[in-house]
């Protein structure tokens, strides 16, 4: 699948966002090795801190569909931003747990222009399972 197609999927996912409070819809799409694309969107709550970001909803949905880190090949994020959208700190921690450290993450802006990064780059020195045993 072309990068542009995956970004379009993230744009479609954005339509599923429930963001009446921030009015800032975000969409995510994760491409799997088997060709499936799992979508995510931010879903907010009147009790604001209970809201969930697009990145985490996509990763949790992937997990519930039976996909593991090793199955994932690309991650696209789309927002109505001038600049490239960037995952929040909480999502970076969850991405580092559930998404491969070297796999591409495409951060797109409202025009569909993107930069490519990795979670290793977005969250260096991440806290991980290994730290629990030291
Ligand atoms: N949000 C995401 O879903 N992903 C991001 O990368 C940045 C922020 C959501 C959280 C909240 O629902 C809204 O955008 C405004 O912060």
């Amino acid at each position: 699948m072309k990068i542009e197609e995956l970004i379009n999927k993230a744009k479609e996912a954005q339509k599923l966002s429930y963001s009446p409070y921030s009015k800032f819809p975000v969409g995510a799409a994760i491409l799997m090795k088997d060709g499936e694309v799992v979508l995510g969107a931010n879903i907010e709550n009147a009790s604001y801190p209970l809201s969930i970001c697009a990145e985490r909803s996509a990763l949790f949905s992937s997990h519930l569909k039976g996909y593991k880190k090793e199955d994932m090949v690309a991650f696209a994020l789309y927002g109505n931003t001038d600049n490239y959208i960037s995952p929040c700190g909480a999502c970076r921690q969850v991405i580092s747990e559930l998404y491969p450290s070297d796999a591409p993450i495409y951060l797109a802006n409202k025009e569909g222009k993107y930069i490519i990064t990795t979670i290793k780059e977005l969250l260096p020195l991440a806290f991980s399972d290994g730290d629990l045993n030291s």
Side-chain angles (χ1 to χ4, degrees), residues 80-103:
N80 293 337
T81 45
D82 293 331
N83 218 330
Y84 308 103
I85 189 157
S86 186
C88 76
C91 285
R92 291 178 194 212
Q93 180 65 27
V94 173
I95 294 168
S96 80
E97 180 87 26
L98 300 175
Y99 186 73
S101 59
D102 287 316

Side-chain angles (χ1 to χ4, degrees), residues 6 9-10 13 27-32 34-41 54 57-67 72 74-76:
L6 189 64
K9 293 276 184 192
I30 304 174
L31 175 65
M32 305 297 169
D34 67 5
E36 172 141 357
V37 175
V38 178
L39 304 181
S57 72
L59 285 164
F60 294 160
S61 177
S62 298
H63 189 81
L64 292 170
K65 286 174 191 276
Y67 291 111
M72 302 178 182
F75 195 136

